[in-house]
Amino acid sequence: MPEYKVFYFNVKALGEPLRFLLSYGNLPFEDVRISRNDWPALKPSMPMNQLPCLEVNGKKVNQSLACCRFIAKDIKLAGNDDWENLQIDTVADTVNDFRLKIAVVSYEPDDEVKEKKLVTLNNEVIPFYLEKLDDIARENGGYLSLGRLTWADFYFAGIIDYLNYLAKQDLTANHENLRKVVDNVIGQSAVQDWINNRPHTDI
Amino acid sequence: MPEYKVFYFNVKALGEPLRFLLSYGNLPFEDVRISRNDWPALKPSMPMNQLPCLEVNGKKVNQSLACCRFIAKDIKLAGNDDWENLQIDTVADTVNDFRLKIAVVSYEPDDEVKEKKLVTLNNEVIPFYLEKLDDIARENGGYLSLGRLTWADFYFAGIIDYLNYLAKQDLTANHENLRKVVDNVIGQSAVQDWINNRPHTDI
């Protein structure tokens, strides 16, 4: 069995999909949480100076979506063929686009610019993505792809608390199919065990 | 053989990696170029209302990176195992991050905000990514991953004209290893044939 380490800050955010997947697959991992104070010294040792970083048998890799896809292959959360994998990849990238569109406004440092961009984000972008993603989840019976549990669901469920924090709203409150996606992931007993035992953090 | 169509605007940009890959693989495809006038009427028929869109045997899929990965599996430009695919995916996502960081500034509508963000982009972000990516290309002998031609090279070479346009500079001019990545793709005879016969567009 490969030796896994997840390097990230002491938050859920982009590290949590990796932690959910490893927990679900009963793949033991070291959950390395780096403090903001220690980060500047450690930063150059991480690929692209980024976190999260997954270490597999001593080799470090960045890019959380790519790492999720890799872990998923090992634990039957990937597709059964190239076409199925395309369906999963497409919706995972769509969730990631949604995250980026929220993040770019949320992290805008100029208050005046941010206020202006928040109008478009809240009135157009967020409703558009929620409606489309909820439709996809309804068509797939409470999953984001293939009508069954895949790593795309883990990506969404893993980052939802972080997305809600960035967007300052409960994004699944009025989208029951997306809520089902989250519930289908966090309802898995190994994920539930992880949630019950993980360090408590707000985001 | 699947029937492929690439739907995009009459530009290279995000459609060109798909066109390069299909050409390299000798996979015939319909190169559908949608005019800006026709786009509003066609938009609702595209997944997530987005272009580029790849159609495979009548089924439409968005997300160009996911589509590149799918085509690559068919034409020996993917990895030979999950670990190799992780290496390719990671660098392809890094190139995509680089694109997004340039695009978000380039498309900023407010001139004053844009001027401010251009300083960080040009002094910090672009030099950082170019140095890191050039290091990766040097370590891989003129490729972005695995020391051989993969779809990550096609993604980079396909979007480079567009990136140069957005960044208002020749990004590979002082980065010979990244230049080699581009040359290793456009030097493939089937890609060269495509380039010689494609519609001429600036970006």
Side-chain angles (χ1 to χ4, degrees):
Chain A
M1 195 179 287
E3 274 192 28
Y4 291 105
K5 289 185 192 180
V6 175
F7 294 89
Y8 198 44
F9 302 111
N10 184 28
V11 290
K12 290 173 275 186
L14 296 183
E16 206 63 7
L18 298 168
R19 300 178 187 128
F20 274 9
L21 285 164
L22 291 165
S23 301
Y24 174 84
N26 294 311
L27 300 168
F29 66 101
E30 194 179 328
D31 181 33
V32 185
R33 292 173 183 246
I34 296 170
S35 71
R36 298 283 166 181
N37 282 343
D38 291 342
W39 175 232
L42 286 168
K43 195 171 171 173
S45 70
M46 298 294 163
M48 294 301 293
N49 302 3
Q50 284 178 346
L51 293 180
C53 164
L54 179 71
E55 190 179 290
V56 187
N57 293 332
K59 289 176 191 157
K60 288 187 172 67
V61 193
N62 62 319
Q63 293 294 352
S64 64
L65 274 171
C67 294
C68 284
R69 185 181 300 113
F70 172 76
I71 297 167
K73 301 267 176 70
D74 211 20
I75 58 175
K76 301 195 188 307
L77 289 176
N80 290 320
D81 57 32
D82 296 341
W83 178 256
E84 285 196 0
N85 279 316
L86 173 57
Q87 309 310 307
I88 300 171
D89 289 354
T90 299
V91 76
D93 279 350
T94 299
V95 170
N96 197 43
D97 283 353
F98 185 38
R99 171 183 74 83
L100 287 166
K101 281 174 193 291
I102 295 172
V104 80
V105 179
S106 177
Y107 292 125
E108 169 59 52
D110 183 315
D111 282 346
E112 211 176 311
V113 176
K114 185 171 176 172
E115 279 310 309
K116 232 162 80 179
K117 294 195 172 173
L118 272 173
V119 177
T120 315
L121 180 71
N122 287 323
N123 294 349
E124 295 173 30
V125 179
I126 289 179
F128 172 79
Y129 271 87
L130 287 179
E131 191 190 324
K132 290 281 186 187
L133 287 169
D134 198 67
D135 283 350
I136 291 170
R138 191 184 56 248
E139 286 159 16
N140 284 283
Y143 303 97
L144 287 176
S145 189
L146 308 183
R148 66 165 172 91
L149 197 64
T150 71
W151 68 268
D153 304 314
F154 278 70
Y155 185 67
F156 184 71
I159 66 170
I160 190 65
D161 288 356
Y162 173 60
L163 286 184
N164 287 340
Y165 165 80
L166 291 180
K168 296 196 188 343
Q169 56 185 286
D170 181 352
L171 294 164
T172 62
N174 300 310
H175 293 85
E176 58 171 347
N177 300 291
L178 283 178
R179 188 66 235 168
K180 279 184 200 162
V181 171
V182 175
D183 290 343
N184 279 332
V185 173
I186 64 176
Q188 302 294 322
S189 63
V191 177
Q192 200 49 241
D193 282 351
W194 164 255
I195 290 171
N196 291 338
N197 291 295
R198 71 186 171 189
H200 175 79
T201 61
D202 288 332
I203 58 166
Chain B
M1 196 178 286
E3 274 191 28
Y4 290 106
K5 290 185 192 180
V6 175
F7 294 89
Y8 199 44
F9 302 111
N10 185 28
V11 289
K12 290 174 276 187
L14 295 182
E16 207 63 8
L18 298 169
R19 299 178 187 128
F20 274 9
L21 285 164
L22 292 165
S23 300
Y24 174 84
N26 294 311
L27 300 169
F29 66 102
E30 194 178 329
D31 181 35
V32 185
R33 290 172 184 249
I34 296 169
S35 71
R36 298 283 166 181
N37 282 342
D38 291 343
W39 175 232
L42 286 168
K43 195 170 170 172
S45 69
M46 298 294 163
M48 293 302 291
N49 301 4
Q50 283 179 345
L51 293 181
C53 164
L54 180 72
E55 189 180 291
V56 187
N57 293 332
K59 289 176 191 156
K60 289 187 172 66
V61 193
N62 63 319
Q63 292 293 353
S64 64
L65 275 171
C67 293
C68 285
R69 185 181 300 111
F70 172 75
I71 298 168
K73 300 268 176 70
D74 210 19
I75 57 176
K76 301 195 187 304
L77 289 175
N80 290 318
D81 56 33
D82 295 342
W83 178 255
E84 286 196 358
N85 279 317
L86 174 57
Q87 308 311 307
I88 300 171
D89 288 355
T90 299
V91 76
D93 279 350
T94 299
V95 170
N96 196 43
D97 283 354
F98 185 37
R99 171 183 75 81
L100 288 165
K101 281 174 193 289
I102 295 171
V104 80
V105 179
S106 177
Y107 291 126
E108 170 59 53
D110 184 315
D111 282 344
E112 211 176 312
V113 176
K114 185 171 177 171
E115 279 312 307
K116 231 161 83 179
K117 294 194 172 173
L118 271 173
V119 177
T120 315
L121 180 71
N122 286 322
N123 295 349
E124 295 173 30
V125 178
I126 289 179
F128 173 79
Y129 271 87
L130 286 179
E131 190 189 325
K132 290 281 186 187
L133 287 169
D134 198 67
D135 283 351
I136 291 170
R138 190 183 57 247
E139 287 159 16
N140 283 283
Y143 302 98
L144 286 176
S145 189
L146 308 183
R148 66 163 173 92
L149 197 64
T150 71
W151 69 268
D153 304 314
F154 278 70
Y155 185 66
F156 183 71
I159 66 169
I160 189 66
D161 288 356
Y162 173 60
L163 286 184
N164 287 340
Y165 165 81
L166 290 180
K168 296 195 188 342
Q169 57 184 288
D170 180 352
L171 294 165
T172 62
N174 300 310
H175 293 85
E176 57 172 348
N177 300 292
L178 282 178
R179 187 66 236 169
K180 280 184 200 162
V181 171
V182 175
D183 290 343
N184 279 332
V185 173
I186 65 176
Q188 302 294 322
S189 63
V191 178
Q192 200 49 242
D193 282 351
W194 164 256
I195 290 172
N196 291 336
N197 292 294
R198 71 186 171 190
H200 174 78
T201 60
D202 288 333
I203 57 166

